[in-house]
Amino acid sequence: AQSVTQPDIHITVSEGASLELRCNYSYGATPYLFWYVQSPGQGLQLLLKYFSGDTLVQGIKGFEAEFKRSQSSFNLRKPSVHWSDAAEYFCAVGTMFSGGYNKLIFGAGTRLAVHP
Amino acid sequence: NAGVMQNPRHLVRRRGQEARLRCSPMKGHSHVYWYRQLPEEGLKFMVYLQKENIIDESGMPKERFSAEFPKEGPSILRIQQVVRGDSAAYFCASSPIGTGEKITGELFFGEGSRLTVL
């Protein structure tokens, strides 16, 4: 069965510092991978996704993620964090079925705090 | 283009009452998903529906929970005889019909309905 592990529950970084959020997945075939961000009291917004092709994917808000099949990882990175990036980040693996049905399995999330 | 609309945003119920949560998908979307987020946890899949059909309800509790997506109107998640453990944020997501290159896999999420059971 598919699963997603986000090892870090909380991360605190200083504004301007670099950021890496870890995500490991378990999936039998080539996975569809996603990163979503959730601000307090809000819904989820898609940051980026990986289906195939280039293993380094660019997303919105200056985020990028790298798919590493050998490590079953899809870590999220940002070179310089802004205070507005404080939020909860969810990694997810999707199973695509015919007709566009995508069943997402989410990790438990990583809560990011940004110090000024 | 309006996003996924959920209402109510906040709902308070006493134990034993019924909760009804509504979700209107984005325009042009005919796939609806419901997810539950318990405090301090990630989102757990509950059910996937297309118009008038439940396709996958593998994440739905066996009792008290039901979902529908009628031909007309919003999708509804119904919880009967609520208990304190039902307190959570319930998120609806939608996606368009797609095949081949049209499949993006992206789910568009609403802002959630937060249920509190007293």
Side-chain angles (χ1 to χ4, degrees):
Chain A
Q2 305 98 297
S3 66
V4 176
T5 302
Q6 294 181 246
D8 305 304
I9 299 174
H10 295 278
I11 282 185
T12 300
V13 299
S14 299
E15 191 168 17
S18 63
L19 172 70
E20 182 169 29
L21 303 182
R22 296 183 291 164
C23 172
N24 293 97
Y25 66 89
S26 173
Y27 189 73
T30 299
Y32 296 89
L33 295 162
F34 303 79
W35 274 99
Y36 281 85
V37 60
Q38 182 183 31
S39 298
Q42 302 298 312
L44 279 74
Q45 181 183 23
L46 180 69
L47 286 176
L48 47 78
K49 61 191 177 191
Y50 171 78
F51 280 5
S52 62
D54 192 347
T55 56
L56 184 63
V57 294
Q58 302 297 320
I60 62 171
K61 303 184 180 185
F63 285 92
E64 66 178 26
E66 186 171 13
F67 170 59
K68 294 185 177 179
R69 183 188 300 276
S70 61
Q71 299 176 19
S72 297
S73 69
F74 189 57
N75 295 348
L76 182 71
R77 300 194 295 250
K78 187 169 185 177
S80 177
V81 170
H82 188 262
W83 64 266
S84 61
D85 293 323
E88 188 143 24
Y89 292 79
F90 292 97
C91 181
V93 62
T95 300
M96 293 294 294
F97 296 93
S98 61
Y101 164 32
N102 179 15
K103 184 174 182 177
L104 289 181
I105 307 298
F106 284 88
T110 297
R111 185 159 295 174
L112 174 66
V114 180
H115 279 176
Chain B
N1 190 15
V4 177
M5 304 300 292
Q6 290 189 248
N7 68 82
R9 291 291 308 279
H10 299 275
L11 182 63
V12 179
R13 285 289 179 265
R14 297 189 181 278
R15 282 178 295 171
Q17 291 184 319
E18 179 180 287
R20 282 187 182 231
L21 310 177
R22 297 174 190 80
C23 169
S24 295
M26 286 181 69
K27 185 177 181 180
H29 289 190
S30 59
H31 299 213
V32 166
Y33 308 75
W34 286 95
Y35 282 79
R36 176 164 64 175
Q37 184 179 32
L38 295 170
E40 306 301 319
E41 295 188 16
L43 280 75
K44 305 292 186 187
F45 170 80
M46 299 182 75
V47 62
Y48 162 64
L49 311 100
Q50 295 179 10
K51 283 285 187 181
E52 300 185 279
N53 287 302
I54 298 174
I55 307 301
D56 181 351
E57 55 181 347
S58 58
M60 287 279 272
K62 293 291 187 278
E63 298 176 346
R64 302 188 296 108
F65 284 72
S66 62
E68 63 177 8
F69 190 15
K71 185 176 181 180
E72 301 291 337
S75 176
I76 295 174
L77 180 67
R78 182 183 179 202
I79 311 171
Q80 295 177 290
Q81 300 174 337
V82 296
V83 301
R84 288 207 174 123
D86 297 332
S87 295
Y90 292 83
F91 287 93
C92 173
S94 72
S95 67
I97 290 177
T99 55
E101 292 183 356
K102 293 182 181 178
I103 295 177
T104 67
E106 181 177 354
L107 272 59
F108 296 81
F109 283 85
E111 294 191 330
S113 292
R114 283 156 180 82
L115 172 66
T116 300
V117 180
L118 302 178

